[in-house]
């Protein structure tokens, strides 16, 4: 099975790769999927450039990729909601159905979850995969494979907006105009925010952000003081919600500066090391701090919003590569071009 394999840090190859027999067995409630489009995620790139993310270390060759869409080509005997030929997107984390976290509805924080392209679990930059029916979602006819491969990152934004408890008319701030920051901004608007400030260093990414909606206000930092801008525009009150989507300790340290009293901060960006923030600033605002880890229960909502046009992710897809060019695609993604948001790879059909 020809796959994109991370051999070790800084070394990728496109080669035939034997998949463990257990992964290829079609269970009664599984479907076999022919992959069509796979997005390149920051975590994939981080494994490529660093060989690890926190405690997850690439000790053996691993197939990359977890943002995917495809077509069902075979169904298990007990599958009822899908059939051969259905176009689908897939939630990449499979929890233990009997764990306490899963039974409480918190399956995303189940310690036993098996998540694509997280060592030692292989990803799906390969021709086919087997996946549970329960985590495979049929696509409406008007949602393309490319849009469907954006459901996974969009799910992070929708989960972040949900955790913030956005109210109609709220003012929001998103720190970071990368893929996760921009899907968070779109999710915040869909949830009811009247205006969302998006702050970033890169002018090109802010241009993309501004083009998404007239309700998005781009702020280039450090040239512009974000807190002063928001306080000026809100008569000194501040923003109702701040989403931290940079993973930068410096950005995280200042999250309360533009926040309104009683506001909420949502930590999205992964931090490689422990960070500190101003607990006193949080206290005097009686701020609520939420943290998210991936997402839960939001894939159907994302698909529905793409289908209805409530959210349009197509402007975020800035470059598409053929599967045979996957190594080059990752090398380009690792260079972090300022003009790119989401790169995707299309597999042969």
């Amino acid at each position: 099975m020809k796959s994109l394999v991370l051999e070790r840090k800084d070394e990728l190859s496109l080669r035939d790769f034997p998949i463990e027999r257990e992964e290829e067995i079609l269970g009664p409630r599984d479907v076999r999927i022919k992959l069509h489009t796979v997005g390149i995620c920051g975590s994939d790139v981080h494994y490529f450039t660093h060989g690890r993310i926190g405690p997850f270390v690439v000790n053996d060759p691993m197939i990359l990729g977890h943002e995917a869409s495809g077509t069902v080509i075979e169904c298990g005997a007990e599958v009822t909601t899908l059939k051969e030929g259905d176009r689908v997107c897939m939630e990449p984390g499979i929890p233990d159905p009997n764990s306490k976290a899963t039974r409480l509805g918190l399956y995303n924080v189940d310690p036993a979850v098996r998540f694509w392209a997280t060592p030692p679990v292989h990803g799906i930059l390969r021709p086919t995969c087997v996946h549970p029916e329960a985590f495979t979602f049929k696509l409406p006819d008007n949602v393309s494979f490319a849009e469907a491969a954006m459901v996974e990152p969009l799910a992070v934004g929708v989960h972040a907006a949900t955790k913030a408890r956005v109210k109609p008319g709220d003012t929001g701030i998103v720190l970071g105009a990368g893929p996760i920051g921009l899907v968070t901004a779109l999710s915040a608007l869909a949830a009811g925010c009247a205006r969302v400030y998006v702050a970033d260093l890169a002018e090109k990414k802010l241009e993309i952000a501004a083009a998404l909606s007239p309700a998005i206000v781009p702020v280039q930092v450090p040239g512009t003081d974000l807190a002063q801008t928001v306080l000026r525009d809100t008569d000194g009150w501040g923003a109702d919600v701040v989403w931290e989507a940079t993973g930068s300790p410096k950005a995280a340290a200042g999250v309360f500066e533009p926040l309104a009293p009683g506001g909420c901060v949502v930590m999205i960006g992964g931090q490689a090391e422990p960070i500190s923030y101003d607990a006193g600033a949080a206290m005097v605002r009686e701020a609520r701090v939420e943290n998210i880890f991936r997402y839960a229960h939001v894939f159907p909502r994302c698909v529905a919003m793409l289908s209805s046009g409530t959210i349009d992710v197509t402007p975020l897809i800035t470059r598409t590569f053929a599967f045979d060019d996957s190594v080059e695609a990752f090398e380009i993604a690792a260079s972090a071009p300022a003009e790119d948001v989401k790169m995707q790879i299309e597999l042969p059909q």
Side-chain angles (χ1 to χ4, degrees):
M1 184 178 287
K2 191 176 182 181
S3 308
L4 181 69
V5 182
L6 176 60
E7 306 288 359
R8 58 188 61 83
K9 177 180 175 292
D10 294 325
E11 184 181 338
L12 288 168
S13 65
L14 198 59
R15 65 177 174 92
D16 286 337
F17 190 86
I19 299 296
E20 293 83 349
R21 177 172 168 76
E22 291 76 13
E23 284 195 37
E24 285 298 287
I25 294 174
L26 187 75
R29 296 183 179 178
D30 294 336
V31 291
R32 194 180 307 276
I33 300 157
K34 181 177 176 60
L35 280 306
H36 187 288
T37 301
V38 179
I40 300 177
C41 177
S43 65
D44 295 317
V45 174
H46 198 86
Y47 281 124
F48 170 41
T49 57
H50 291 76
R52 66 182 299 157
I53 296 178
F56 300 104
V57 182
V58 180
N59 293 315
D60 299 297
M62 180 183 77
I63 300 172
L64 291 172
H66 64 265
E67 304 174 359
S69 62
T71 303
V72 175
I73 57 174
E74 187 180 0
C75 295
E78 297 178 15
V79 170
T80 60
T81 63
L82 296 167
K83 64 182 186 304
E84 291 181 25
D86 281 346
R87 300 163 58 255
V88 294
C89 63
M90 299 79 82
E91 188 167 344
I94 306 172
D96 175 359
N98 298 311
S99 73
K100 184 171 184 177
T102 300
R103 287 184 285 111
L104 289 172
L106 305 171
Y107 65 84
N108 55 315
V109 295
D110 174 15
V113 69
R114 291 177 54 81
F115 199 92
W116 282 338
T118 301
V121 182
H122 290 300
I124 39 69
L125 271 163
R126 48 183 160 123
T128 66
C129 70
V130 171
H131 204 57
E133 173 191 20
F135 292 91
T136 304
F137 303 91
K138 184 177 178 179
L139 302 176
D141 291 341
N142 65 340
V143 175
S144 68
F145 284 115
E147 291 170 299
M150 285 292 294
V151 169
E152 198 277 340
L154 177 59
V156 177
V158 171
H159 190 50
T162 303
K163 291 293 288 284
R165 304 176 205 163
V166 174
K167 301 180 299 298
D170 274 355
T171 295
I173 297 172
V174 175
L175 303 178
I180 296 301
L182 294 184
V183 294
T184 299
L186 290 171
S187 301
L189 292 175
C193 278
R195 179 168 43 182
V196 176
Y197 295 83
V198 176
D200 200 278
L201 302 170
E203 184 179 357
K204 291 286 187 181
K205 285 185 170 57
L206 290 173
E207 289 174 1
I208 294 171
L212 295 176
S213 168
I216 289 179
V217 181
V219 179
Q220 189 168 15
V221 292
T224 303
D225 189 306
L226 175 64
Q228 286 187 7
T229 299
V230 174
L231 290 169
R232 180 198 66 208
D233 293 350
T234 57
D235 297 323
W237 185 247
D240 301 289
V241 184
V242 175
W243 286 274
E244 202 304 290
T246 67
S248 162
K250 183 176 180 181
V255 288
F256 298 105
E257 293 177 14
L259 187 70
C264 177
V265 167
V266 183
M267 304 298 289
I268 306 173
Q271 301 287 343
E273 302 292 339
I275 63 167
S276 60
Y277 58 69
D278 190 341
M283 185 179 294
V284 297
R285 290 166 173 79
E286 205 167 88
R288 178 166 53 90
V289 179
E290 296 279 359
N291 294 276
I292 72 162
F293 182 64
R294 297 171 179 156
Y295 37 74
H297 311 292
V298 294
F299 261 57
R301 293 172 180 266
C302 295
V303 173
M305 288 189 288
L306 293 179
S307 181
S308 69
T310 303
I311 287 180
D312 180 11
V313 294
T314 53
L316 306 185
I317 304 168
T318 50
R319 209 181 308 198
T320 304
F321 295 84
F323 185 52
D324 285 344
D325 298 324
S326 294
V327 173
E328 178 190 1
F330 268 78
E331 290 171 346
I332 292 172
S335 71
E339 67 275 12
D340 281 305
V341 178
K342 176 58 66 178
M343 300 180 187
Q344 293 185 332
I345 295 170
E346 285 188 3
L347 283 87
Q349 298 303 300

